Amino acid sequence: MLESKNPYTGETIEKFEELTKEQIDEVLENAQQRYKLWRKTSMDERAEFMKNAAEELKANKKEYARDITLEMGKPISQSISEIEKCAWVCEYYAKHAEEHLANRLIDTDAQKSYVSYEPIGVVLAVMPWNYPFWQVFRFAAPALMAGNIGVLKHASNVMRSANNIQKVFERAGFPKYCFQNMPVGSDKIDAVIKDKRIKAVTLTGSKPAGAAVASTAGSEIKKSVLELGGSNALVVFDNADIDAAVETCIQARFQNTGQSCIAGKRLILQENIAEEFTKKYVDKVKELKSGDPMHEDTFIGTMARVDLAEDLEKQIRDSVDAGAKILIGGVRDGAYMQPTVLDNVTQEMAVFKEETFGPAIGITRFKTAEEAIDLVNSSDFGLGVSIFTEDIDFAKYIIPEFEDGAVFVNELVKSDPRLPFGGTKISGYGRELSLDGIQEFVNKKTVYIK
């Protein structure tokens, strides 16, 4: 039995029966049979359905956002923004999928030679709870527009949202079984990946989950894309616009109550501006409103589960024991963790070297640009980095030195349908969104006509 529980009140929202082995087989067979028809539809037909999905999301965003907030504690205003972003990605691929998948002509000695981009079949998506709609839609929109079929294994604590996502596609008029939610536990996924009807798998989640999925997919010689954890650095140089950087770094760390793989989790400050920046940053943290996630003015809600808050609390305590100093916060109440800022953080401390998935950030100082680059690259993660400087030529000069999958200058790292998204090192491999994302799950077929 899968259980959806309100982390703010502790009350059970709804329970869901897991599918039996026979029901899973039925889901996969329905998906396979639908694929045979869906792959033959035109881009114009798919685009109309996808535009309908965007309209459905916008028309009923409050309905879908409410369930996000009830299930995982995201402040309601941020849940609504998440639904709106899902509509954007649907509109983006409805407009651009055809050009992204157009035949690529190549001059050879043939009469004609080109690469075509064709669907591969049923794709399994294993998705997390922190952005229960967005993580799914950034896979589903390009996958369906490419002519593939989507099967979703969502996180067990957001199963109502998972059902709602299937409802979006049904309300948008997509043919039945183009996208199906499959309510099962993680113990069923290995067998699903091995099923011959599944042609590829995409996962957003933790390193252990990614390693398990990649291992199974690899043993079956099936394509996988992994978007895993992150420990993004926020690097503030002494020639930055301090006030603007403070505002951005607040958003980067504390939106979604800090529960984001691309959140800024390590605040790395140049020594001569560190004191000024830290004071202004802590003052802004004091202004963040905590409370009931259903209230529109709440910015910091509860974390998604009590055990997640306990994990973060331990990382904070371990870091303090190792010499870090709490400037604000550090107190947990059930699933709620106060927004927390720690100073005097070194590379050996938990809040620096581990992924902190909640509203806590550590401050580390540096003297030179070379030292800052080394601090960023010392992480096992490589999802993204934000650098703050008014010297754009300097920014362009050091961008190639960072090992991450993305570098944002004077902005927080964020996903955008127009830009490829993905990481390096243990943050995963493959790309989502943009042209790169839609071309992950296609057969890049070489055609040569003599």
Side-chain angles (χ1 to χ4, degrees):
M1 184 73 70
L2 306 176
E3 185 177 60
S4 177
K5 182 179 288 189
N6 185 329
Y8 183 71
T9 64
E11 298 173 354
T12 296
I13 300 170
E14 191 172 352
K15 293 184 178 181
F16 303 85
E17 290 282 351
E18 286 194 53
L19 297 187
T20 64
K21 183 178 179 180
E22 292 72 25
Q23 289 172 322
I24 292 172
D25 180 72
E26 183 179 357
V27 167
L28 298 182
E29 184 58 26
N30 287 336
Q32 178 63 23
Q33 294 306 315
R34 173 52 60 190
Y35 168 65
K36 294 177 181 178
L37 300 173
W38 181 246
R39 68 187 302 273
K40 296 179 181 179
T41 56
S42 68
M43 277 292 182
D44 285 344
E45 289 177 277
R46 298 174 201 168
E48 282 303 310
F49 289 128
M50 196 59 68
K51 285 186 281 188
N52 290 346
E55 291 306 312
E56 165 62 24
L57 287 163
K58 289 187 287 188
N60 294 296
K61 59 186 178 183
K62 291 184 178 179
E63 170 192 340
Y64 298 129
R66 179 179 179 276
D67 281 341
I68 290 175
T69 296
L70 288 175
E71 285 192 306
M72 55 74 62
K74 188 193 304 285
I76 188 66
S77 61
Q78 296 174 35
S79 294
I80 291 172
S81 295
E82 180 176 341
I83 300 300
E84 292 170 340
K85 191 171 184 179
C86 293
W88 180 24
V89 79
C90 290
E91 291 168 341
Y92 175 84
Y93 279 108
K95 182 176 181 180
H96 296 286
E98 186 168 13
E99 65 188 79
H100 287 337
L101 299 178
N103 291 346
R104 178 163 56 93
L105 298 175
I106 301 174
D107 288 333
T108 66
D109 55 354
Q111 174 186 328
K112 187 175 185 180
S113 52
Y114 60 93
V115 177
S116 64
Y117 301 90
E118 301 175 3
I120 59 173
V122 183
V123 182
L124 171 67
V126 183
M127 293 291 146
W129 48 263
N130 59 328
Y131 287 90
F133 263 65
W134 171 245
Q135 307 279 22
V136 178
F137 271 88
R138 73 182 189 192
F139 148 75
L144 291 171
M145 286 301 301
N148 295 313
I149 297 297
V151 173
L152 172 65
K153 187 282 176 203
H154 218 325
S156 300
N157 59 325
V158 290
M159 202 49 59
R160 183 178 281 186
S161 290
N163 284 337
N164 284 343
I165 293 169
Q166 180 174 323
K167 186 188 299 183
V168 170
F169 290 111
E170 291 172 348
R171 288 178 171 179
F174 276 82
K176 198 172 184 180
Y177 309 130
C178 274
F179 185 93
Q180 297 176 86
N181 175 44
M182 188 168 59
V184 296
S186 298
D187 59 322
K188 305 289 197 311
I189 294 307
D190 190 71
V192 173
I193 295 172
K194 290 178 178 178
D195 191 286
K196 65 180 181 180
R197 291 164 293 195
I198 294 293
K199 295 300 186 287
V201 57
T202 180
L203 175 139
T204 298
S206 67
K207 178 190 173 184
V213 163
S215 177
T216 302
S219 70
E220 299 296 312
I221 320 297
K222 294 182 180 181
K223 177 70 177 289
S224 62
V225 169
L226 303 181
E227 197 276 278
L228 307 180
S231 187
N232 289 6
L234 303 164
V235 185
V236 185
F237 290 95
D238 58 9
N239 58 358
D241 180 331
I242 300 300
D243 290 336
V246 166
E247 292 285 351
T248 301
C249 290
I250 289 289
Q251 291 291 326
R253 173 64 278 195
F254 294 108
Q255 66 177 347
N256 201 30
T257 316
Q259 300 170 114
S260 171
C261 56
I262 56 172
K265 295 164 185 170
R266 296 178 294 151
L267 187 51
I268 300 176
L269 308 177
Q270 196 149 20
E271 279 189 347
N272 52 331
I273 53 95
E275 185 175 347
E276 176 191 0
F277 188 98
T278 299
K279 182 182 184 306
K280 290 183 175 181
Y281 193 79
V282 170
D283 286 345
K284 286 292 182 182
V285 173
K286 291 177 181 177
E287 296 174 4
L288 299 178
K289 187 178 187 315
S290 298
D292 187 339
M294 292 300 293
H295 293 169
E296 291 187 1
D297 60 345
T298 294
F299 187 81
I300 299 291
T302 180
M303 292 180 65
R305 300 194 309 265
V306 173
D307 63 299
L308 298 170
E310 291 173 339
D311 289 344
L312 181 61
E313 181 182 40
K314 183 179 185 303
Q315 290 173 311
I316 293 169
R317 285 179 176 174
D318 288 347
S319 298
V320 170
D321 289 344
K325 177 184 177 183
I326 294 178
L327 300 180
I328 187 173
V331 178
R332 180 184 66 83
D333 181 9
Y336 170 74
M337 171 61 75
Q338 289 181 343
T340 302
V341 180
L342 298 97
D343 203 356
N344 304 329
V345 171
T346 65
Q347 295 182 62
E348 295 75 29
M349 295 179 184
V351 295
F352 187 97
K353 66 182 182 180
E354 299 174 9
E355 180 177 27
T356 51
F357 216 70
I361 193 166
I363 296 174
T364 305
R365 291 166 171 75
F366 70 92
K367 294 179 181 178
T368 66
E370 291 75 17
E371 185 182 354
I373 292 166
D374 288 342
L375 285 168
V376 173
N377 290 340
S378 67
S379 176
D380 291 333
F381 297 93
L383 199 52
V385 55
S386 294
I387 60 175
F388 297 85
T389 174
E390 292 289 273
D391 187 342
I392 301 304
D393 288 336
F394 166 69
K396 291 177 180 177
Y397 176 76
I398 65 171
I399 283 171
E401 301 302 315
F402 296 108
E403 299 169 354
D404 296 64
V407 178
F408 279 61
V409 180
N410 299 322
E411 181 60 287
L412 54 86
V413 176
K414 54 188 176 181
S415 54
D416 182 320
R418 299 164 295 187
L419 296 170
F421 177 83
T424 62
K425 300 191 277 190
I426 65 170
S427 289
Y429 54 75
R431 291 294 180 266
E432 297 177 304
L433 302 176
S434 189
L435 177 148
D436 302 74
I438 199 170
Q439 289 189 0
E440 285 285 4
F441 296 120
V442 294
N443 175 18
K444 298 178 182 180
K445 181 181 290 183
T446 296
V447 179
Y448 181 101
I449 302 173
K450 186 173 181 179

